[in-house]
């Protein structure tokens, strides 16, 4: 079974020409050429491929680790029969700098030109 990071890396390599050899959890989205609009577009793909529903409130996603944690939190929160108390296991090594609210909309720290 692929980890969240592996699935996200596949998307970033396929759709954003990321280099699979150099992508790490610490890679800033800005290094992939993703500004705020690009981040939203990437998350639409994530929404489809992970079968999750994105919230409408903003969330800060500065790097791949934050995106992985955000995805894991959404998957856990939206899992059928979830009581909201489960902790995403695949995000253990990908903790964002600030807590992830799975109901928050997506934003990026990347400035829009």
């Amino acid at each position: 079974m692929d980890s969240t990071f592996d699935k996200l890396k596949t998307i970033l390599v396929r759709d954003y020409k990321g280099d699979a050899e150099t992508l790490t959890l610490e890679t800033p989205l800005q290094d992939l050429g993703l500004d705020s609009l690009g981040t939203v577009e990437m998350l639409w793909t994530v929404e489809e491929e992970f079968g999750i529903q994105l919230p409408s409130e903003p969330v800060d996603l500065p790097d791949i680790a934050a995106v992985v944690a955000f995805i894991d939190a959404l998957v856990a929160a939206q899992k059928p029969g979830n009581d909201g108390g489960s902790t995403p296991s695949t995000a253990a090594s990908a903790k964002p700098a600030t807590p992830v609210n799975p109901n928050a909309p997506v934003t990026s720290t990347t400035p829009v030109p």
Side-chain angles (χ1 to χ4, degrees):
M1 176 182 246
D2 286 339
S3 70
T4 302
F5 174 64
D6 291 333
K7 287 175 74 173
L8 180 60
K9 189 187 320 189
T10 298
I11 293 167
L12 294 172
V13 168
R14 182 191 67 214
D15 297 347
Y16 298 94
K17 310 299 182 228
D19 179 4
E21 299 299 318
T22 61
L23 286 177
T24 68
L25 290 169
E26 293 78 27
T27 302
L29 295 183
Q30 187 173 12
D31 286 3
L32 297 169
L34 292 172
D35 59 11
S36 58
L37 179 58
T39 299
V40 170
E41 290 172 345
M42 181 258 312
L43 286 170
W44 288 336
T45 301
V46 164
E47 184 176 44
E48 268 183 45
E49 296 202 16
F50 282 85
I52 56 177
Q53 193 168 31
L54 296 175
S56 58
E57 297 82 23
V59 63
D60 185 33
L61 300 173
D63 56 26
I64 292 177
V67 177
V68 168
F70 181 64
I71 293 167
D72 284 341
L74 288 172
V75 168
Q78 296 175 17
K79 185 191 302 185
N82 180 18
D83 62 0
S86 61
T87 302
S89 61
T90 56
S93 64
K95 295 178 182 169
T98 55
V100 175
N101 175 355
N103 297 317
V106 177
T107 62
S108 173
T109 56
T110 307
V112 177

